[in-house]
Amino acid sequence: MKMQGAVSAPSRPGFESRLAMSARHVVFVIRCLALAALLLGGIVRVLPAQSLSPAAVLTNAVLLDHPHGLVISPDGSWLLALTASGGATDLVAVEIDELGAPVSVQELGFPSSLNASTVNPGIVMSPDGRFAALYGSGGVGDLIIVRRGLNGDTETIAVDFPGGNVPSLDSRPVIPQDGRYVVGIGSGSTQDLVVVPIFDDVDGLPTPAAPLPVAFPSNGALPFANGLLPAVTRDGDAIIVPGVQTAQDLLVVSVPTPADSAPLQVFPVAYPNFNQIPDPEVAIAVSPDGRWVATRGSATVGDVVVTPLDPAGVPGTAVNVLLPSNNNAARPEEPLLVDPRGRVIATAGTLIAGDLALVPVNALGVPGTPINVAFPANNFLAADAPPLRMSPDGRYVAAAGSATVGDLVVVDFDYFPATNTVSATPYNVLFASSANRRTNADFSISDDGEVIATYGASATTSDLVIVDIDTFGVPVTSYSIALPASLNVSTNSLRPVVDPGGGWVAAPSTNTAADLTYLRLERDASCQLFSSIFETFQVPFGDNFDLVPNDLALAPTRQFLYGRGSASGTDLALFAFQDARIFPLAPAWLGRALPLRFRSSLDGGAAYQAGAAFERCPPIALGDGRLIGLADDPLLQLSIQPMDPAFFGFSGVLDADGVGFGAMFIPFVPEARGFALRFSFVVLDAGDPTGIGTIAATTTIVLR
């Protein structure tokens, strides 16, 4: 593959030094092994013969065939699935143990002959995993709260909206990050929105309070468009929806803490120069820090409109942003992309000079001068292209290009806060072996952005296409991979599942002897990616996947893959990882401790040492040919120091099941949001010349 140029490495020493200094002042006390013990060992994937263990979940009900019919808690211990027909069983709750295996299945019927809404299907899990919410069939319950009871059983609570039922919009409730309320769409007039506060009862269980109707001023109303969803800021201080009048292009509801401690205030936002939102079905973009929101506008007035929010969720003056050189925002049905730091908006353009457009936005929500990005060698965004994808660490945007020039285009960008500007360098990636992207195939990107995977168009040469991206956001090469033994990828699957750490790719296949294909990826001493070992797995009891498009998913803790089976056999299939790994038990929020589970099922009772690093490259080479998948950088040095207070449980002894627990405190450094950290651990073995026995896979976790 020919490179189009070079991109300088993003400079982040300020964050690294601040994180290191802050970490030294966190109150944690731990015992760590000596630095030399880890540096003598290495990080390499030492896997059992089978690294996934399939398990089946059987129910008496048929599960709902819908993209939002399955949800799972952030700690991976609670899975909820809606059923297709209601009646005696409306919901199936599955408890999952710390090894990723199902331990109990509960079938629930909603109270008072209530059913899940058939016109607004889908269930939403609260970010803390303590409860879930869905729309009911109305009459006796417009909203249903699902929670775990004191005895571990799943319980349901029905909530009636005071002014009428939820309209038929194919919509879902929305829950902010702190889980302090649920917001739903009302029936209009006296309740355009309904906010249901959530409080802890005397037993500490999340419980809904009396619903709060929100009526919009001046006869304003929601545009009752199919697929309409309210947007919320991460801390829940503002709810944002589109309006229908010139004076109410956007409506912002400021929410106090607790949600029912003061009246909810509504602030209409009128876009300048009679600009307006062209399609209310398109999701509103909210910056990760909640300081601004963005929507699409009119191509002749402002292709993008940015509205700042103050810390209380009160909107400021909206600003129109017209893309340069008469470029327009193409593909208006796609949401705007926002990087994890909330400083760059990306959208597809319509001109050769602007295949992609980038809009910088500063910390106050003020947009800078947008730029056009032309794809190299007259490449262009393919007509059948999937949506643009931004790498989870916010380094680049990936787009589908022409099969003859560049099947994939990677646009690496950098934001400069001092000037509120953005620069970008695009790269064409022509897939290897004359392979093309499958027509309906989407892209999956690892959390560190170093692996992009998609489906190829040829079942004989390119079932999978893997693209290696270096640490600077520059594509290195692509690999076209044919599945073994005449296996083919299921056409119902739109994109493969990629390990957040870039260590494997999984895809459902169509062969009756193998329903799941699992490709392990490795990196050599120069950090070049290469494919290693295929493994294939069958859904238990000879069943096949019955996929909703892209239904195969990875649990938030990364302990297992899961997906629907056939209604006549396995209702759910779980594939738990059996090799040595680290599993995050919660998102990596700034200013909080990140809980981690260390697991090596073959090493119960053995001592271990864990480490964290900013990068995986360059790896530490060992005399026995193994590599450490963590760079020897300042964070690694800090994480393995004895008695450092920021790292709890990074050394210790695994229990009888080969499980250990630890935590890393992440200081609140705003510019660190979107930054990827790497973790691993080694099991100590005095009988090995290096002192190291089993060595865990590298885990990548993005800060939020």
Side-chain angles (χ1 to χ4, degrees), residues 289-382:
D289 59 5
R291 297 288 68 86
W292 55 264
V293 298
T295 70
R296 296 188 180 277
S298 168
T300 58
V301 181
D303 303 275
V304 176
V305 185
V306 180
T307 304
L309 299 174
D310 72 11
V314 178
T317 301
V319 178
N320 288 334
V321 180
L322 197 62
L323 300 185
S325 304
N326 296 317
N327 195 9
N328 295 323
R331 304 168 73 89
E333 73 282 359
E334 295 179 11
L336 300 170
L337 295 182
V338 179
D339 79 295
R341 296 167 194 83
R343 300 297 175 259
V344 178
I345 299 170
T347 183
T350 58
L351 296 179
I352 295 176
D355 300 283
L356 180 76
L358 300 174
V359 181
V361 185
N362 70 14
L364 299 177
V366 178
T369 301
I371 65 170
N372 288 336
V373 181
F375 293 169
N378 294 320
N379 201 358
F380 56 88
L381 189 66

Side-chain angles (χ1 to χ4, degrees), residues 388-393 396-398 443-453 469 495-496 498-500:
L388 300 177
R389 297 288 176 188
M390 187 175 290
S391 63
D393 64 348
Y396 62 81
V397 175
F443 300 109
S444 295
I445 307 176
S446 63
D447 278 7
D448 58 10
E450 294 179 19
V451 173
I452 302 177
I469 309 292
R495 53 179 171 161
V498 173
D499 173 26

Side-chain angles (χ1 to χ4, degrees), residues 61 156 168 172 223 229 355 465 515 551 581 585 587 589 592 608:
T156 58
S168 302
R172 298 177 304 284
L229 287 175
D355 300 283
V465 179
D515 299 291
D551 195 27
R581 292 181 180 271
L585 300 182
W589 298 115
R592 301 184 190 177
Y608 69 90

Side-chain angles (χ1 to χ4, degrees), residues 183-231:
V183 58
I185 295 173
S187 56
S189 183
T190 60
Q191 56 165 32
D192 296 287
L193 293 175
V194 179
V195 175
V196 179
I198 302 294
F199 68 96
D200 285 353
D201 64 13
V202 293
D203 295 318
L205 300 179
T207 304
L212 307 172
V214 179
F216 295 154
S218 304
N219 298 316
L222 279 173
F224 286 148
N226 195 44
L228 179 67
L229 287 175

Side-chain angles (χ1 to χ4, degrees), residues 484-501:
S486 300
L487 297 176
N488 293 322
V489 171
S490 169
T491 56
N492 282 333
S493 180
L494 300 183
R495 53 179 171 161
V497 179
V498 173
D499 173 26

Side-chain angles (χ1 to χ4, degrees), residues 129-222:
R130 301 176 65 226
F131 70 95
L134 69 153
Y135 287 135
S137 54
V140 292
D142 298 287
L143 184 74
I144 303 170
I145 300 298
V146 184
R147 69 182 188 184
R148 279 166 154 166
L150 290 177
N151 60 357
D153 288 341
T154 299
E155 303 172 345
T156 58
I157 303 173
V159 179
D160 264 342
F161 287 177
N165 299 332
V166 178
S168 302
L169 298 176
D170 191 17
S171 185
R172 298 177 304 284
V174 175
I175 306 172
Q177 186 57 51
D178 58 11
R180 60 191 171 94
Y181 63 81
V182 179
V183 58
I185 295 173
S187 56
S189 183
T190 60
Q191 56 165 32
D192 296 287
L193 293 175
V194 179
V195 175
V196 179
I198 302 294
F199 68 96
D200 285 353
D201 64 13
V202 293
D203 295 318
L205 300 179
T207 304
L212 307 172
V214 179
F216 295 154
S218 304
N219 298 316
L222 279 173

